[in-house]
Amino acid sequence: MVLSLIEAYSRSIHKTKENIVPNVHKDFHGALSYGLQFLEDAYGREGVREFLSGLATAVYKPLCEDLRTRGLDALRDHWKTIFDLEGGEYDMQLENDMLVLTVKRCPAIAHMNEHDYAIANNFCEHTRIVNEAVCAAAGYTSSVEYDQQAGTCVQRFWKG
Amino acid sequence: MISCTEFIWVYAALFRFLEEKGGKDKVIEFWKGIADNFLGNLRELVEAEGLKGMHRYWSHTLGEEGGRHTMTLYDDMFVIDMHECPSARLIFQEGRDVPYADYCEHCRWLYPPLLAEYGYEADMDVINCRKGQCRLTVRKRKEAP
């Protein structure tokens, strides 16, 4: 049920309780990038690693538990949800107990480039660190090869 | 990639991490840094269109963030009445992480000082963090007689 209708300058927003507007605000990538650079400037790359590794026990705790329970299907579903929601271009294959996510157009890098946001020197390292921490908590291993300039990467996940 | 849909939890965790490492002053330094270095699109709109630019900026951001609010644009005042802040809901109601108690304070450091640079007085009144209720009231600053 539409409770009220606001005519914004750019579009209409139907504010309903049953169908809340999806929370996809890509400018947050720019804020994250600023935060990672601030962290690195203040506490070095070790500080960045310490912060991001800690996310596995809180922010990504549900994903860790899902990965432990359902295995690589959990990660496949996670990435599909995120990249579909954010409009990323990617391929994903689960073969021989290895999940391979090939990102052809990273939505974070693309959005920051489109809007001239400063991109942290080591922005893509956050993917490696968070993946490693999540996987370690669930008994899995990961690797990533990325090209930050191009906004592409290949991420691999396997048990052990 | 940390998704923009997960950012708010990461944002709050970063506040806590910075406070543990460098005290509250470090968190405030970060908030000031965001206002100075990241909110260029808000600055451009305020400079070009004043109160109307604020309405345009928050129509876009709050529309995407998905909270429930009303915005009122008067000829001399702009008001956001936030009934259910999408960020506060994630932080204080979803229980994924221990809430950073001063989470809502970041808006006080981000917006009123920035708007003051363009000649506006802004009151950021936090009504209830846990329920995600606050009000931002912006008026053109009166010139001294």
Side-chain angles (χ1 to χ4, degrees), chain A residues 9 25 50 59-60 86, chain B residues 3-4 6 21 55 64 96:
Chain A
Y9 281 92
H25 181 48
E50 183 184 345
V59 175
Y60 290 103
E86 295 215 25
Chain B
S3 169
C4 65
E6 302 160 330
K21 286 285 184 189
H55 186 263
E64 287 189 346
R96 188 178 284 211

Side-chain angles (χ1 to χ4, degrees), chain B:
Chain B
M1 181 188 79
I2 291 174
S3 169
C4 65
T5 61
E6 302 160 330
F7 172 74
I8 292 302
W9 291 306
V10 176
Y11 203 32
L14 179 57
F15 298 167
R16 184 183 303 105
F17 184 86
L18 290 174
E19 185 162 317
E20 287 168 2
K21 286 285 184 189
K24 187 64 180 284
D25 286 349
K26 202 67 182 173
V27 189
I28 292 170
E29 182 187 333
F30 175 61
W31 290 336
K32 286 180 173 175
I34 290 264
D36 290 343
N37 300 293
F38 179 68
L39 296 176
N41 44 359
L42 174 58
R43 289 178 181 278
E44 286 171 14
L45 284 168
V46 173
E47 188 162 23
E49 301 180 37
L51 296 168
K52 196 172 174 183
M54 296 173 208
H55 186 263
R56 190 189 293 274
Y57 172 81
W58 271 291
S59 291
H60 170 72
T61 59
L62 291 177
E64 287 189 346
E65 288 187 61
R68 303 208 293 172
H69 57 272
T70 56
M71 278 184 277
T72 312
L73 179 61
Y74 300 92
D75 56 347
D76 61 347
M77 185 165 67
F78 170 64
V79 183
I80 301 175
D81 282 298
M82 179 59 73
H83 310 302
E84 189 178 70
C85 171
S87 302
R89 178 173 51 78
L90 292 174
I91 299 299
F92 293 103
Q93 297 177 26
E94 290 224 346
R96 188 178 284 211
D97 197 359
V98 178
Y100 178 72
D102 296 339
Y103 179 80
C104 292
E105 197 181 321
H106 77 273
C107 280
R108 283 189 180 138
W109 289 95
L110 260 57
Y111 302 119
L114 185 155
L115 297 173
E117 291 177 37
Y118 297 90
Y120 294 91
E121 284 180 355
D123 296 314
M124 182 75 237
D125 297 310
V126 175
I127 300 166
N128 188 319
C129 279
R130 188 155 293 278
K131 293 181 178 175
Q133 298 170 341
C134 67
R135 175 179 294 145
L136 174 67
T137 308
V138 188
R139 297 177 182 83
K140 186 75 182 164
R141 193 162 50 218
K142 291 192 175 104
E143 298 299 325

Side-chain angles (χ1 to χ4, degrees), chain A residues 20-51:
Chain A
I20 292 172
V21 178
N23 184 9
V24 181
H25 181 48
K26 291 191 186 179
D27 287 351
F28 283 154
H29 290 300
L32 173 66
S33 181
Y34 178 77
L36 292 174
Q37 191 63 55
F38 183 91
L39 203 49
E40 183 172 325
D41 292 344
Y43 301 111
R45 294 182 71 170
E46 272 312 301
V48 176
R49 174 169 284 278
E50 183 184 345
F51 167 67

